[in-house]
Amino acid sequence: MRIKSIRGVKDILPDEIAKWQWTEDWARKIFRRYGFKEIRIPIFEDSRLFARSLGETTDVVEKEMYTFADRSGDSLTLRPEGTASVVRSYVEHKMHHPPSVVKLYYMGPMFRYERPQAGRFRQFYQIGVEAMGSASPAVDAEVMCMLVELFKTLGLADVQLQINSLGDKESRPQYRQILQNAIQPHLTNLCANCNQRYEKNPLRVLDCKEPQCKEIARDLPKTVEHLNPESREHFEEVQTLLKAAGVDFTINPLMVRGLDYYSRTTFEIASSELGAQNALCGGGRYDYLVETFDGPPTPCFGFALGMERLVSVVQPGADLETLDRPDLYIVSLGEQALLASFKIAEELRSRGLRVERDYDGSSLKSQMRKANQKNCRFALIIGDNELESGKLVLKNMVESEQTEIALASFSDEILNVVAPLPDD
RNA sequence: GUGGGCGUAGCUCAGUUUGGUAGAGCUCUGGAUUGUGGCUCCAGUGGUCGCGGGUUCAAGUCCCGUCGCUCACCCCA
């Protein structure tokens, strides 16, 4: 039996990778403009890290983690998300010294044991952003603006930003009680799942998809109606700033995030171009998470965005076409030319050109065809005729014009015509 | 965990109703054009029809089983 890749994972092949790199390049550029720096966190962690941060009763922790014992018997887990690791790292490396807002981003694979479908995989890639150390609503708004800016640059057509506020440490317990009281009379009409949620996490009743639950949820008290003055002011300021930046959004009082660490602002950006899994990214404030890992009180705001989903809707510009485009294809004919062309290729590459070539002594026709297929800007023909006359033939593949290059000074002459692209 | 759809050439798919020599387009290779790509035309390469069993003179096609992919529920990025 031939070994195949396992369920829910996939190879990202060279044809597709240009789009990924293009997307990642833009994310890096734009994050840099906002002062975010990359952090690389481990792929696996102590299992307790995720249970404690995401919440013991969340679906991710209860049934979706890849957890295993290593050879010494320690329980390890392949990371199902990135925030927990960033917070652990923040505390472990005492990044709160000296006091400042620490702005980080990461990119990489996450792992969740779920049934695969469109936009959902068992190994999937996320870009995450975390702004740590300020409770200012300006942080919330700025990070969301950064995302909108990124999406605009990536050519996304139809995205919707939804925001909500879940309240803080002080208002949340009171609201929870009010909500439970309001739910209780409806318990017999709510789905089995919501009956459990009523006990464990009543907020989740609000965003249940069951029709009868939706009906009831519509009239339940909402978090935004029960914010304390501080949280209400924070939420209003976030809205004011978003409006000032010209960012469109809607308030969705039924949006409850699936991870327990969120407080105050939460948000999601969805795309109507995606299937059932239409959330491109989601996040919000987590003002108390650092403390649960024995760090100092550190209000934070962050989000994660799904790369597979994002890449499927980006509209790359002309800059994508040059990403992998070779400058020059060396066509070589005959034994003597092989040695000469080898040296010429090495010389041109060391001067910054992207040089492709033939390895198998194919016909001229076939080598020219390859040069065309690979979208090379130029072809350099080296055969016995050229070696004898000391003149190489350089062909512009776009204009279909050719010029002669003196073998004695080929390097400078070619560089003169075929300038390397700025990125190289 | 529960449903629906689909597995035939490297890719996209026809052929399955009514069993009878394995097909098309794209790609690839060669030629028309002896050392010049793209366009056109001609020719060629390429398939244990997911896998296993059964019925039959005969199975891609019918029956049973099994594996995989995919979409949706759920959940989320």
Side-chain angles (χ1 to χ4, degrees):
Chain A
M1 245 270 281
R2 186 148 70 189
I3 296 173
K4 295 179 58 188
S5 64
I6 56 178
R7 189 169 170 74
V9 311
K10 64 170 189 176
D11 302 312
I12 302 159
L13 300 175
D15 274 353
E16 206 188 343
I17 212 74
K19 216 165 155 188
W20 281 67
Q21 290 176 341
W22 179 81
T23 302
E24 289 162 358
D25 287 351
W26 271 115
R28 286 181 198 282
K29 272 184 229 175
I30 287 174
F31 294 166
R32 202 174 284 132
R33 293 179 194 168
Y34 284 81
F36 284 80
K37 292 187 177 173
E38 183 173 359
I39 180 171
R40 300 203 182 180
I41 44 180
I43 299 283
F44 53 171
E45 297 266 8
D46 186 324
S47 298
R48 292 169 296 185
L49 175 68
F50 302 111
R52 250 211 273 169
S53 59
L54 309 193
E56 304 274 0
T57 63
T58 55
D59 280 22
V60 171
V61 170
E62 276 187 336
K63 47 194 190 199
E64 295 176 3
M65 294 204 306
Y66 280 94
T67 297
F68 59 97
D70 73 3
R71 289 177 183 275
S72 71
D74 295 336
S75 177
L76 307 182
T77 294
L78 299 183
R79 62 187 189 191
E81 59 109 55
T83 301
S85 298
V86 173
V87 168
R88 178 207 39 77
S89 181
Y90 180 90
V91 174
E92 190 169 326
H93 300 288
K94 300 188 166 50
M95 294 187 209
H96 48 89
H97 285 302
S100 69
V101 181
V102 175
K103 295 190 281 189
L104 304 170
Y105 74 90
Y106 55 85
M107 300 178 172
M110 306 294 164
F111 306 85
R112 293 183 198 173
Y113 188 85
E114 296 183 273
R115 257 322 248 282
Q117 71 179 75
R120 193 170 73 186
F121 310 91
R122 290 184 173 178
Q123 173 172 339
F124 59 102
Y125 291 79
Q126 283 190 337
I127 295 179
V129 163
E130 318 288 354
M132 315 176 75
S134 170
S136 166
V139 171
D140 309 32
E142 193 171 284
V143 171
M144 288 188 271
C145 286
M146 179 171 80
L147 257 175
V148 169
E149 177 68 14
L150 174 62
F151 287 174
K152 203 166 76 186
T153 307
L154 298 179
L156 266 57
D158 195 18
V159 296
Q160 301 86 38
L161 168 63
Q162 296 195 334
I163 63 171
N164 191 19
S165 176
L166 302 179
D168 60 22
K169 197 159 57 177
E170 188 186 283
S171 68
R172 193 90 161 254
Q174 293 170 16
Y175 166 73
R176 187 190 151 104
Q177 193 55 56
I178 292 167
L179 182 62
Q180 270 184 325
N181 292 344
I183 293 171
Q184 201 184 19
H186 299 288
L187 278 178
T188 51
N189 294 322
L190 289 168
C191 71
N193 218 334
C194 280
N195 271 270
Q196 292 201 344
R197 288 168 174 151
Y198 166 73
E199 289 291 346
K200 294 194 301 189
N201 195 350
L203 254 71
R204 303 302 318 267
V205 175
L206 291 176
D207 70 346
C208 183
K209 309 292 188 304
E210 292 289 332
Q212 74 271 23
C213 301
K214 267 177 143 169
E215 183 87 5
I216 293 164
R218 227 178 35 202
D219 298 322
L220 289 172
K222 307 301 185 300
T223 51
V224 284
E225 295 156 0
H226 294 270
L227 300 176
N228 59 15
E230 293 78 15
S231 283
R232 187 179 309 120
E233 197 185 323
H234 182 97
F235 192 45
E236 276 163 13
E237 184 64 13
V238 169
Q239 294 173 53
T240 303
L241 291 170
L242 286 177
K243 282 176 193 158
V247 172
D248 290 329
F249 62 90
T250 56
I251 297 172
N252 179 358
L254 297 178
M255 183 178 67
V256 179
R257 308 279 314 149
L259 307 177
D260 285 355
Y261 51 62
Y262 288 114
S263 56
R264 288 196 172 161
T265 317
T266 59
F267 78 101
E268 272 183 26
I269 298 181
S271 165
S272 45
E273 293 172 273
L274 293 169
Q277 311 298 317
N278 68 346
L280 278 173
C281 66
R285 275 209 162 267
Y286 49 100
D287 287 345
Y288 315 113
L289 190 56
V290 172
E291 284 169 76
T292 69
F293 288 100
D294 306 314
T298 309
C300 301
F301 185 91
F303 69 82
L305 104 74
M307 276 299 285
E308 288 83 356
R309 293 177 193 182
L310 180 60
V311 166
S312 75
V313 296
V314 296
Q315 299 289 334
D319 49 342
L320 178 67
E321 283 164 36
T322 57
L323 196 66
D324 286 324
R325 183 174 190 181
D327 295 309
L328 188 69
Y329 192 97
I330 295 192
V331 174
S332 82
L333 300 161
E335 284 294 314
Q336 282 196 307
L338 195 67
L339 178 63
S341 65
F342 188 87
K343 289 195 295 194
I344 289 170
E346 286 303 297
E347 166 72 14
L348 292 175
R349 285 169 179 151
S350 77
R351 302 214 33 194
L353 288 186
R354 303 174 183 177
V355 178
E356 263 290 7
R357 52 163 295 184
D358 172 76
Y359 296 101
D360 300 315
S362 316
S363 68
L364 172 63
K365 188 189 194 62
S366 135
Q367 292 190 54
M368 289 301 291
R369 189 155 43 222
K370 275 282 182 303
N372 187 57
Q373 284 167 349
K374 289 176 183 289
N375 197 19
C376 297
R377 297 162 59 210
F378 291 86
L380 182 68
I381 300 171
I382 307 169
D384 294 342
N385 297 350
E386 284 73 22
L387 294 178
E388 213 168 294
S389 66
K391 304 261 191 207
L392 305 179
V393 174
L394 180 66
K395 178 164 187 175
N396 182 322
M397 296 296 283
V398 181
E399 308 297 333
S400 205
E401 287 165 358
Q402 36 188 64
T403 51
E404 287 192 336
I405 299 288
L407 181 55
S409 56
F410 74 90
S411 184
D412 289 338
E413 284 192 43
I414 289 173
L415 259 295
N416 212 20
V417 182
V418 190
L421 297 169
D423 270 342
D424 290 322

